[in-house]
Short mmCIF file of all heavy atoms in Angstrom, two decimals:
data_model
loop_
_atom_site.label_atom_id
_atom_site.label_comp_id
_atom_site.label_asym_id
_atom_site.label_seq_id
_atom_site.Cartn_x
_atom_site.Cartn_y
_atom_site.Cartn_z
N GLU A 553 -11.81 16.66 21.68
CA GLU A 553 -12.82 17.53 22.29
C GLU A 553 -14.00 17.77 21.35
O GLU A 553 -15.10 18.09 21.81
CB GLU A 553 -12.18 18.87 22.67
CG GLU A 553 -11.23 18.76 23.87
CD GLU A 553 -10.58 20.10 24.19
OE1 GLU A 553 -10.92 21.09 23.51
OE2 GLU A 553 -9.75 20.14 25.12
N ARG A 554 -13.79 17.64 20.03
CA ARG A 554 -14.87 17.83 19.06
C ARG A 554 -15.71 16.56 18.89
O ARG A 554 -16.78 16.61 18.28
CB ARG A 554 -14.28 18.21 17.70
CG ARG A 554 -13.58 19.57 17.66
CD ARG A 554 -14.60 20.70 17.74
NE ARG A 554 -13.98 22.01 17.67
CZ ARG A 554 -13.88 22.73 16.56
NH1 ARG A 554 -14.35 22.26 15.41
NH2 ARG A 554 -13.31 23.92 16.58
N VAL A 555 -15.23 15.43 19.37
CA VAL A 555 -15.93 14.16 19.23
C VAL A 555 -16.81 13.96 20.46
O VAL A 555 -16.34 14.02 21.60
CB VAL A 555 -14.94 12.99 19.08
CG1 VAL A 555 -15.68 11.66 18.98
CG2 VAL A 555 -14.06 13.21 17.86
N ARG A 556 -18.09 13.68 20.23
CA ARG A 556 -19.03 13.67 21.34
C ARG A 556 -18.90 12.44 22.25
O ARG A 556 -19.06 12.55 23.46
CB ARG A 556 -20.45 13.77 20.78
CG ARG A 556 -20.84 15.20 20.42
CD ARG A 556 -22.06 15.28 19.54
NE ARG A 556 -21.74 15.07 18.13
CZ ARG A 556 -22.60 15.26 17.14
NH1 ARG A 556 -23.84 15.66 17.40
NH2 ARG A 556 -22.24 15.07 15.88
N GLN A 557 -18.58 11.28 21.68
CA GLN A 557 -18.44 10.08 22.52
C GLN A 557 -17.19 9.30 22.09
O GLN A 557 -17.29 8.20 21.55
CB GLN A 557 -19.68 9.19 22.41
CG GLN A 557 -20.97 9.82 22.89
CD GLN A 557 -22.10 8.83 22.94
OE1 GLN A 557 -22.09 7.87 23.74
NE2 GLN A 557 -23.11 9.01 22.10
N PRO A 558 -16.02 9.86 22.37
CA PRO A 558 -14.79 9.17 21.95
C PRO A 558 -14.45 8.00 22.88
O PRO A 558 -14.64 8.08 24.10
CB PRO A 558 -13.73 10.26 22.05
CG PRO A 558 -14.23 11.15 23.15
CD PRO A 558 -15.74 11.14 23.02
N ILE A 559 -13.97 6.92 22.30
CA ILE A 559 -13.45 5.78 23.05
C ILE A 559 -12.00 5.62 22.61
O ILE A 559 -11.73 5.16 21.50
CB ILE A 559 -14.25 4.50 22.78
CG1 ILE A 559 -15.74 4.72 23.06
CG2 ILE A 559 -13.71 3.34 23.61
CD1 ILE A 559 -16.62 3.57 22.60
N ILE A 560 -11.06 5.99 23.45
CA ILE A 560 -9.66 6.10 23.05
C ILE A 560 -8.90 4.83 23.40
O ILE A 560 -8.98 4.32 24.52
CB ILE A 560 -9.01 7.32 23.72
CG1 ILE A 560 -9.74 8.60 23.29
CG2 ILE A 560 -7.53 7.41 23.36
CD1 ILE A 560 -9.29 9.84 24.03
N HIS A 561 -8.13 4.35 22.41
CA HIS A 561 -7.27 3.18 22.59
C HIS A 561 -5.85 3.58 22.20
O HIS A 561 -5.63 4.10 21.11
CB HIS A 561 -7.72 2.02 21.71
CG HIS A 561 -9.16 1.66 21.86
ND1 HIS A 561 -9.62 0.74 22.77
CD2 HIS A 561 -10.26 2.12 21.19
CE1 HIS A 561 -10.93 0.64 22.66
NE2 HIS A 561 -11.35 1.46 21.71
N ARG A 562 -4.90 3.32 23.08
CA ARG A 562 -3.51 3.65 22.79
C ARG A 562 -2.75 2.37 22.45
O ARG A 562 -2.82 1.38 23.19
CB ARG A 562 -2.85 4.36 23.97
CG ARG A 562 -3.51 5.71 24.28
CD ARG A 562 -2.75 6.49 25.33
NE ARG A 562 -3.43 7.74 25.63
CZ ARG A 562 -3.27 8.87 24.96
NH1 ARG A 562 -2.44 8.90 23.93
NH2 ARG A 562 -3.92 9.96 25.29
N ALA A 563 -2.03 2.40 21.33
CA ALA A 563 -1.29 1.23 20.88
C ALA A 563 -0.08 1.00 21.78
O ALA A 563 0.48 1.93 22.37
CB ALA A 563 -0.84 1.42 19.44
N THR A 564 0.33 -0.24 21.87
CA THR A 564 1.49 -0.61 22.67
C THR A 564 2.77 -0.14 21.99
O THR A 564 2.95 -0.37 20.80
CB THR A 564 1.56 -2.14 22.84
OG1 THR A 564 0.32 -2.60 23.36
CG2 THR A 564 2.68 -2.54 23.77
N PRO A 565 3.67 0.53 22.71
CA PRO A 565 4.90 1.02 22.07
C PRO A 565 5.86 -0.12 21.73
O PRO A 565 5.76 -1.22 22.26
CB PRO A 565 5.50 1.94 23.14
CG PRO A 565 4.95 1.42 24.43
CD PRO A 565 3.58 0.91 24.13
#
Side-chain angles (χ1 to χ4, degrees):
E553 289 178 3
R554 294 288 182 98
V555 178
R556 280 165 278 189
Q557 297 188 67
I559 305 171
I560 299 173
H561 307 270
R562 296 187 182 274
T564 306

